[in-house]
Amino acid sequence: MDLSAINPAVLFASLIVAATPILLAGLGELVVEKAGVLNLGVEGMMIVGAICGFAVAVGTGSPFLGFVAGAVGGALLSLIFAVLTQYLLANQVATGLALTLFGLGFSALIGQGYVGIKPPPVSALTFGPLSDIPLLGTILLRHDAMVYLALLAVPGLWWAINRTRMGLILRAVGENHDAAHALGYKVVHIRLAAIVFGGAMAGLGGAYLSLIRVPLWTEGMTAGAGWIALALVVFASWKPGRLLLGAWLFGGITVLQLNLQAAGARVPVEYLSMSPYVITIVVLVVMSARGGRAAGAPAALGRSFHATH
Amino acid sequence: MIRRTLLATAALGMALAFGGVASAQALDKAKACFVYVGPIGDGGWTYQHHQGALAVKEAYGDKVEIAWQESVPEGADAERVLTQMALSGCNIIFTTSFGYMDPTNTVAAKFPNVKFEHATGFKRDHANVATYDARFYEGRAVIGHIAGKMTKSNKIGYIGSFPIPEVIQGINSYFLHAKKVNPAVEISVVWAYTWFDPAKEADAAKALIEQGVDVIAAHTDSTAPLAEAAKTPGVIGFGQASDMAAYKPSPRVASIIDNWAPYYVKRVGLLLDGTWEQAASWEGMPGGEVEIGEITEAVPADVKAEAEAMIAAITAGTYHPFTGPINKQDGSAWLKDGEVADDGTLAGMMFYVEGIKGDIPK
């Protein structure tokens, strides 16, 4: 065993990259759930974002347009969910699951001509001499633009949710839609916007996977990342800051165990792989043991709203 | 519940009524079904099996109908899928991953007049179960030779799926032949515990590259390790299961191609003739099941010539990749000078050869 082969700075840098797709998707789902909607279709929206982004980036040669297309693809898919659950009052859990299944199949259909193709490369941003600062430069200053966008989105969303009027309305809708409705807010419209935002973020996360992190297209390439993003939101108890920590933990465990293996360490892979989920359960238990509002979930989460008066 | 029991009873009744007669008779038409562990679009393992399935259709035209199901999880789900296929009129079912071994045998017991062919396994509990495998380790020997010659850091990497004999044969063969031409070479093995998860496969390749590995071989199903290798100049890898030509000329400098078409066409042919029998097939380069894809110009001409000479020797049957003297990891003798490994030991290989560090996970 030779642990000196592992460079902590490089390890942390790859951890940040590995966490970016689930961070993006998790942030989107956090906003959706803050509005009181449970969308289990994250996996489906991610993979549709992955193929839309991939197809457009290959077609136009521009990764930027690819990311835009990924976001649009995810958002369009989430619109189906929005119409079904907000206007037709379909069950959110069942609709979300259906969205995932539909997304997986639909992406496979679009992606048939894209297997084995290489997308246009995305270069990392350069900060000149700053990128050469020992440790900090390696960890933080040699990434692509999407990593910074995802990282900036964390304080951005925190601010938007907790410090703006828009965020207050969003939370009001998520906590008590009847009261929000009585105050004159358009509950359905606000939820629709939140769902579309969540879809776009999931699509971005998917496009990051197919354009930068892997980068290729194969069917089913998200391989459960969407479900991890969902677990993340619960783990983070609906707080953006904790979501970042969770994303690093969830993404980091995989990177860490693979690095340990490559260095020849004897690692109990099974225990490491399940540890994020065990921690999620522990977090849930601790939160509910504190009593009061169970686990910090928005009070109207998963409940349909229909204006009767 | 009752309906399911009824269905099963009906199926069993039919099997009893027609089973004895049908098995020895030629068929006018047959339905060949395939169970895949990943999507056909993986560009690797499952893609190649599907090419074999298409070859069956092409060879027999209207006489054979083919059907398949993708991304079937190994385990209980597989049993459900297999039962469904057997009930829907499949005459022969190919289960194309190691993890289908027990489900295949369980379902085969219930449908004695359906033929089952299980890839890479060793259990043939019933007369209607055959197994087939390819000697991938022959291909691993060739790419191991190239790896040993090409590495500059003297660190080569291997991304393993699961610690099963099929994968361990490959690691041993790859390492032995790299070591033969480069005594300083070291190997790092990373277990991904999945056949197909592009993000994880890419992460595994990345972890290896960050630790100084510059030649990566993978025993997982997607092209992700090559996509990751392409990001770092100087790192090379190999196409696995399929040619993965998109990554030519580098990082993909050669590839191991599984060619299942000859076997599938032969077995379905036997079924049509009524002469299908249980068998344990293990073909390799001589039978055309294992091929080496184009060795690109990134490989120096002399190395390429040596690799081609090895391919010729294995194909002609004059060279066996596991020819002694070879010691086991703990230093004890396994094969004496000139001794060749027997198939039984290879099929159950759960030990590393001397020089590989680390343990095989249990």
Side-chain angles (χ1 to χ4, degrees):
Chain A
M1 178 158 97
D2 179 20
L3 290 183
S4 62
I6 300 178
N7 178 343
V10 173
L11 179 71
F12 202 72
S14 25
L15 178 157
I16 292 177
V17 171
T20 299
I22 49 176
L23 177 62
L24 284 165
L27 285 171
E29 179 66 13
L30 186 139
V31 170
V32 177
E33 294 192 11
K34 273 282 178 197
V37 179
L38 182 66
N39 184 354
L40 295 182
V42 182
E43 177 88 358
M45 300 186 297
M46 275 186 93
I47 196 143
V48 166
I51 184 57
C52 289
F54 191 86
V56 168
V58 167
T60 62
S62 156
F64 173 74
L65 288 179
F67 279 110
V68 172
V72 171
L76 283 178
L77 193 67
S78 72
L79 258 184
I80 301 177
F81 174 86
V83 169
L84 286 172
T85 58
Q86 300 308 306
Y87 292 103
L88 304 176
L89 303 181
N91 179 292
Q92 293 180 4
V93 171
T95 312
L97 290 173
L99 200 69
T100 289
L101 296 175
F102 173 71
L104 287 171
F106 185 62
S107 63
L109 179 71
I110 314 178
Q112 276 178 348
Y114 290 95
V115 174
I117 294 178
K118 279 190 274 188
V122 181
S123 51
L125 296 181
T126 46
F127 295 89
L130 287 180
S131 296
D132 297 328
I133 303 172
L135 219 62
L136 191 70
T138 314
I139 295 175
L140 272 181
L141 299 173
R142 289 183 191 171
H143 293 296
D144 50 86
M146 286 305 292
V147 168
Y148 300 112
L149 188 76
L151 288 178
L152 287 177
V154 176
L157 275 180
W158 175 85
W159 184 76
I161 290 171
N162 295 309
R163 292 288 183 273
T164 65
R165 188 177 169 75
M166 186 178 69
L168 189 64
I169 297 169
L170 185 85
R171 282 184 287 143
V173 167
E175 295 295 341
N176 189 334
H177 48 217
D178 291 320
H181 176 67
L183 285 170
Y185 293 118
K186 306 262 186 235
V187 172
V188 169
H189 291 183
I190 291 161
R191 285 189 169 166
L192 191 86
I195 292 169
V196 169
F197 176 78
M201 291 292 274
L204 271 185
Y208 187 82
L209 207 57
S210 65
L211 288 176
I212 299 181
R213 177 138 172 253
V214 180
L216 52 80
W217 165 254
T218 53
E219 285 173 34
M221 68 176 298
T222 46
W227 298 109
I228 293 177
L230 275 165
L232 259 184
V233 178
V234 179
F235 170 85
S237 53
W238 293 269
K239 292 186 173 69
R242 282 198 205 164
L243 195 107
L244 177 65
L245 280 183
W248 283 355
L249 180 71
F250 280 56
I253 291 281
T254 312
V255 172
L256 179 68
Q257 64 102 339
L258 291 169
N259 268 281
L260 285 173
Q261 281 198 55
R266 291 180 197 172
V267 280
V269 175
E270 300 83 356
Y271 295 111
L272 273 175
S273 299
M274 70 181 173
S275 57
Y277 303 95
V278 174
I279 298 171
T280 303
I281 294 170
V282 171
V283 167
L284 279 175
V285 170
V286 169
M287 282 193 304
S288 49
R290 274 194 210 149
R293 287 201 355 230
L301 184 60
R303 282 169 50 203
S304 290
F305 173 74
H306 181 58
T308 47
H309 50 84
Chain B
M1 194 63 189
I2 291 171
R3 210 170 123 236
R4 200 173 289 171
T5 322
L6 254 175
L7 268 178
T9 321
L12 209 69
M14 274 170 65
L16 286 174
F18 305 115
V21 193
S23 63
Q25 259 182 3
L27 298 172
D28 294 334
K29 273 181 83 83
K31 186 172 177 186
C33 301
F34 298 82
V35 184
Y36 302 139
V37 70
I40 292 168
D42 68 355
W45 176 261
T46 295
Y47 174 80
Q48 289 300 120
H49 281 284
H50 191 61
Q51 294 302 306
L54 296 176
V56 168
K57 180 72 191 158
E58 177 138 356
Y60 299 109
D62 290 341
K63 288 184 77 178
V64 172
E65 183 191 342
I66 60 170
W68 62 85
Q69 185 151 350
E70 301 171 69
S71 301
V72 176
E74 299 176 330
D77 269 353
E79 215 171 297
R80 205 166 38 77
V81 169
L82 284 169
T83 308
Q84 191 61 40
M85 279 185 165
L87 286 173
S88 72
C90 298
N91 302 99
I92 186 164
I93 301 175
F94 294 90
T95 55
T96 65
S97 187
F98 182 78
Y100 300 143
M101 182 155 67
D102 291 327
T104 303
N105 280 286
T106 311
V107 178
K110 294 182 204 152
F111 299 94
N113 62 336
V114 176
K115 312 298 181 207
F116 290 83
E117 298 256 359
H118 177 233
T120 71
F122 51 79
K123 273 192 193 167
R124 293 172 296 278
D125 291 349
H126 310 284
N128 57 333
V129 182
T131 55
Y132 62 104
D133 200 351
R135 296 179 187 269
F136 306 117
Y137 65 84
E138 295 179 344
R140 295 286 171 196
V142 177
I143 65 166
H145 182 93
I146 297 173
K149 286 274 186 179
M150 296 285 287
T151 178
K152 294 190 178 64
S153 64
N154 289 333
K155 284 182 176 174
I156 58 175
Y158 202 104
I159 302 170
S161 46
F162 295 96
I164 54 173
E166 172 198 348
V167 178
I168 292 167
Q169 288 157 20
I171 296 172
N172 283 333
S173 176
Y174 177 70
F175 176 73
L176 277 174
H177 291 84
K179 182 104 178 165
K180 203 171 270 180
V181 293
N182 182 352
V185 83
E186 283 180 26
I187 190 169
S188 295
V189 180
V190 172
W191 298 100
Y193 288 96
T194 175
W195 287 112
F196 180 79
D197 180 347
K200 199 168 186 187
E201 292 168 50
D203 282 346
K206 194 172 186 179
L208 287 166
I209 293 167
E210 281 168 2
Q211 297 190 19
V213 165
D214 63 353
V215 183
I216 291 181
H219 203 136
T220 47
D221 295 353
S222 88
T223 50
L226 283 173
E228 185 62 41
K231 289 181 188 167
T232 315
V235 174
I236 59 164
F238 305 94
Q240 158 60 10
S242 190
D243 195 32
M244 304 191 174
Y247 297 92
K248 278 183 197 174
S250 191
R252 174 222 167 278
V253 298
S255 63
I256 302 176
I257 304 172
D258 311 344
N259 182 9
W260 302 105
Y263 182 77
Y264 286 170
V265 170
K266 182 176 86 187
R267 298 299 284 181
V268 174
L270 290 176
L271 177 78
L272 287 168
D273 295 344
T275 51
W276 188 97
E277 274 183 344
Q278 182 182 63
S281 161
W282 200 9
E283 298 286 329
M285 285 186 175
E289 278 196 5
V290 177
E291 295 170 359
I292 299 292
E294 185 202 336
I295 300 172
T296 65
E297 63 266 25
V299 178
D302 57 326
V303 178
K304 183 175 175 179
E306 288 160 16
E308 278 167 352
M310 191 190 287
I311 297 170
I314 296 175
T315 308
T318 54
Y319 177 63
H320 190 291
F322 290 107
T323 305
I326 301 174
N327 289 343
K328 292 188 181 179
Q329 190 182 29
D330 57 12
S332 63
W334 172 39
L335 295 174
K336 291 195 288 285
D337 196 6
E339 192 184 352
V340 168
D342 63 285
D343 283 358
T345 312
L346 287 181
M349 190 178 235
M350 283 304 281
F351 59 87
Y352 282 147
V353 295
E354 192 171 37
I356 299 182
K357 295 202 179 81
D359 299 319
I360 298 171
K362 297 286 182 308

